[in-house]
Amino acid sequence: MGRVYRCNLHMHTCLSPCAELDMYPSSIVKESVVQGLDVIAICDHNSSENVQYVIKAASGTGLVVIPGMELCTREEVHLVAIFENLEGLASLQEAVYDQLDGTNDEDAFGIQAVVNEAGEVEGFNEHLLIGATGISLNRAVDLVHSLGGLVIASHIDRTAFGLIGQLGFVPPDVPFDALEVSAGLGISQARQRYPELRGYAFVTSSDAHFVGDIGRASTRMYLESPSFAEIRLALGRLSGRYVLE
């Protein structure tokens, strides 16, 4: 029997340069459980090193953690890429680092901490994670799909780094799996604002960079189980799975 699950498919950790250091794996898991979330996706900027530790921190809690990344394309469009397993994410990470120039300036952009499930610092990422990769929008979507992942265009209603804000429109030839709208807008209002996008699945997420933001938005999905495979079906409106709006 299916039921409705609360899914937050876009959340950062302290690895992202703009996130607070309190966003370490065990803290994220604890607050997600308190907020009644069933599924979260960890999507740090151009990076994935903390995902494995959030998965470990969630062990035994009932919270499902989906591996992910928020990739910044050459056009400075943010894309949420999520995967069924760490292998697909690792392949994307290799491609991203190959196309990401620059070294982080901690004084300017903040510390990029890799923290394990016990709250211990494993190291610091030196890549310029706040920057844009050299991967084009079309290539990024094709790459994620070739690795078995799903692509959600991040916060399309935002001027900065949103698809519409950067390009002025949603390219009809790019096969996005869903479009994300910001917590402040929500799916219902987004449908009214963007009637021309009725053919796309919409989701909303917290995009949390701070612990206090973790529960501010989530997407309710009717699923048979809280899993990547079921989320894929829901975004495609397949086999009776769907996003509640």
Side-chain angles (χ1 to χ4, degrees), residues 15-17 45-47 70 72 76 96-97 99-106 108-110 112 125-134:
L15 179 56
S16 289
H45 291 294
N46 292 321
S47 54
E70 186 172 28
C72 185
E76 297 192 339
V96 165
Y97 282 166
Q99 294 290 321
L100 183 64
D101 294 329
T103 302
N104 185 44
D105 182 340
E106 292 186 355
F109 305 118
Q112 300 174 163
N125 190 307
E126 296 184 355
H127 292 276
L128 186 62
L129 299 182
I130 203 167
T133 69

Side-chain angles (χ1 to χ4, degrees), residues 33-230:
V33 171
V34 167
Q35 294 295 331
L37 296 172
D38 299 298
V39 180
I40 64 172
I42 298 301
C43 302
D44 281 311
H45 291 294
N46 292 321
S47 54
S48 61
E49 283 90 338
N50 275 350
V51 173
Q52 62 175 320
Y53 299 122
V54 180
I55 292 173
K56 291 178 181 178
S59 178
T61 67
L63 179 70
V64 174
V65 180
I66 303 290
M69 178 191 301
E70 186 172 28
L71 182 157
C72 185
T73 72
R74 184 172 64 201
E75 300 87 350
E76 297 192 339
V77 171
H78 282 184
L79 302 175
V80 163
I82 58 174
F83 295 87
E84 187 165 18
N85 53 53
L86 291 170
E87 288 73 21
L89 180 60
S91 296
L92 177 63
Q93 184 69 89
E94 183 178 353
V96 165
Y97 282 166
D98 185 60
Q99 294 290 321
L100 183 64
D101 294 329
T103 302
N104 185 44
D105 182 340
E106 292 186 355
D107 292 331
F109 305 118
I111 295 173
Q112 300 174 163
V114 179
V115 179
N116 67 24
E117 71 276 16
E120 301 164 336
V121 176
E122 294 280 342
F124 300 94
N125 190 307
E126 296 184 355
H127 292 276
L128 186 62
L129 299 182
I130 203 167
T133 69
I135 306 172
S136 71
L137 174 65
N138 293 68
R139 172 59 182 149
V141 174
D142 288 345
L143 176 60
V144 174
H145 284 162
S146 74
L147 296 172
L150 297 171
V151 183
I152 302 170
S154 306
H155 39 67
I156 63 165
D157 52 304
R158 274 178 35 186
T159 302
F161 304 111
L163 182 67
I164 296 173
Q166 293 301 114
L167 302 184
F169 66 106
V170 176
D173 61 329
V174 181
F176 298 107
D177 297 289
L179 306 178
E180 179 196 66
V181 296
S182 299
L185 182 62
I187 295 176
S188 179
Q189 291 186 53
R191 287 296 185 197
Q192 296 177 40
R193 181 181 295 186
Y194 305 112
E196 72 278 10
L197 301 178
R198 58 185 174 276
Y200 293 92
F202 277 12
V203 299
T204 187
S205 309
S206 69
D207 189 10
H209 291 70
F210 304 91
V211 172
D213 289 340
I214 287 176
R216 69 174 175 170
S218 61
T219 300
R220 296 181 301 152
M221 298 188 186
Y222 183 83
L223 312 170
E224 290 292 323
S225 63
S227 67
F228 175 86
E230 288 286 310

